[in-house]
């Protein structure tokens, strides 16, 4: 005679809700981490920007978070505001008469590891809060 | 005293571009253009010095900029360089290059005062630190 057996799993719905909550929290933390990293990069860029008589280049460095989209990673842009420093590209890339001062690319390259660590650390926080 | 590996790498890079017989010929200069210049021409410079501490591999960012009085000629020369350098793997002047890859670049720029177009292109050159 065949024997019947079965397994009942309790708490599936709760687990699904918890995972959704975790993902939401991770997205929030990622946004904070991305903004923090962008502000840190902007600070370094302001420090490293060559100083002219006006100081406009350092002053022009700004950050702007892009609107969040479900199909895109969080993005916060860091750059020079061309209304304040329209000559930024001439400083960075040079011209026929003078050599460029690639302070922007040097700063980004130098901070690459720190940026990744800052964002990763924030993204891990929701898991850590749950004992992970 | 023998040349450092970076000096060898740069010399190898210049030879490679010269051998490709681009429109710039042998007008390839470090850092900036000389005062009296015939176009088109190419400049190159090291931007940042990146490398692994635990393994003997460096991956600096190099800039190679093409300069010309004509917009189309500038674009063509930039594309020639891109085809030559991007995805290159081999030995340059004794330096083992694992790969060269293009990084983000700003596109075509124009120096109004001199009437010259220029296209800066950055490349990450991954090479073995030991010859």
């Amino acid at each position: 005679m065949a024997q019947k057996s079965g397994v009942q799993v309790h708490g599936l719905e709760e687990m699904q809700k918890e995972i959704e909550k975790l993902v939401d929290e991770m997205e929030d933390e990622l946004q904070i981490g991305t903004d923090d990293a962008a502000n840190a990069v902007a600070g370094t860029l302001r420090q490293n920007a060559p100083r002219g008589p006006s100081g406009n280049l350092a002053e022009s460095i700004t950050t702007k978070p892009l609107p969040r989209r479900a199909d895109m990673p969080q993005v916060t842009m860091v750059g020079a505001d061309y209304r304040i420093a329209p000559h930024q590209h001439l400083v960075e890339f040079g011209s026929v008469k003078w050599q460029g001062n690639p302070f922007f690319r040097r700063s980004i390259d130098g901070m690459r590891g720190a940026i990744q660590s800052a964002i990763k650390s924030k993204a891990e926080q929701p898991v850590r809060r749950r004992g992970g | 005293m023998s040349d450092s590996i970076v000096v060898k790498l740069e010399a190898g890079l210049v030879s490679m571009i010269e051998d490709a017989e681009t429109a710039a010929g042998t007008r390839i200069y470090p850092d900036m253009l000389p005062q009296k210049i015939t176009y088109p021409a190419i400049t190159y410079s090291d931007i940042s010095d990146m490398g692994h501490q635990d393994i003997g591999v460096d991956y600096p960012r190099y800039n190679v900029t093409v300069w010309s009085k004509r917009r189309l000629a500038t674009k063509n020369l930039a594309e020639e360089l891109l085809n030559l350098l991007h995805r290159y793997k081999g030995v340059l002047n004794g330096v083992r290059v694992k790969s060269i890859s293009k990084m983000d670049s700003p596109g075509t720029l124009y120096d109004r005062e001199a009437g010259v177009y220029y296209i800066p292109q950055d490349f990450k050159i991954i090479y073995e630190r030991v010859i």
Side-chain angles (χ1 to χ4, degrees), chain B residues 57-78:
Chain B
V57 172
D58 282 344
Y59 51 96
R61 179 200 287 253
Y62 267 81
N63 174 263
V64 183
T65 299
V66 300
W67 309 78
S68 173
K69 289 270 186 185
R70 289 166 50 226
R71 189 170 182 273
L72 273 182
T74 318
K75 282 183 173 286
N76 285 336
L77 183 53

Side-chain angles (χ1 to χ4, degrees), chain B residues 6-108:
Chain B
V6 175
V7 171
K8 281 179 190 282
L9 178 71
E10 287 190 3
L13 198 65
V14 171
S15 295
M16 184 189 182
I17 298 170
E18 282 178 350
D19 291 348
E21 296 181 346
T22 68
T26 56
R27 293 184 298 278
I28 305 164
Y29 308 100
D31 300 324
M32 66 180 296
L33 293 169
Q35 280 193 330
K36 286 189 179 174
I37 176 75
T38 303
Y39 294 102
I42 296 170
T43 56
Y44 64 93
S45 56
D46 54 322
I47 302 294
S48 56
D49 183 20
M50 294 178 287
H52 291 288
Q53 287 176 349
D54 43 354
I55 54 172
V57 172
D58 282 344
Y59 51 96
R61 179 200 287 253
Y62 267 81
N63 174 263
V64 183
T65 299
V66 300
W67 309 78
S68 173
K69 289 270 186 185
R70 289 166 50 226
R71 189 170 182 273
L72 273 182
T74 318
K75 282 183 173 286
N76 285 336
L77 183 53
E79 194 173 317
E80 260 188 279
L81 273 181
L82 178 64
N83 292 337
L84 180 69
L85 298 177
H86 184 51
R87 295 190 180 159
Y88 173 85
K89 181 183 179 182
V91 179
L92 274 181
N93 196 24
V95 181
R96 282 190 291 275
V97 175
K98 296 172 93 66
S99 81
I100 298 179
S101 53
K102 185 176 177 293
M103 304 177 81
D104 288 343
S105 299
T108 309

Side-chain angles (χ1 to χ4, degrees), chain A residues 94-97 105-106 109, chain B residues 47-48 61 111 113 118 122:
Chain A
S95 77
V96 169
K97 284 190 179 163
R105 286 169 288 165
R106 274 192 190 131
D109 286 348
Chain B
I47 302 294
S48 56
R61 179 200 287 253
D111 183 333
E113 206 177 302
Y118 58 117
D122 285 359

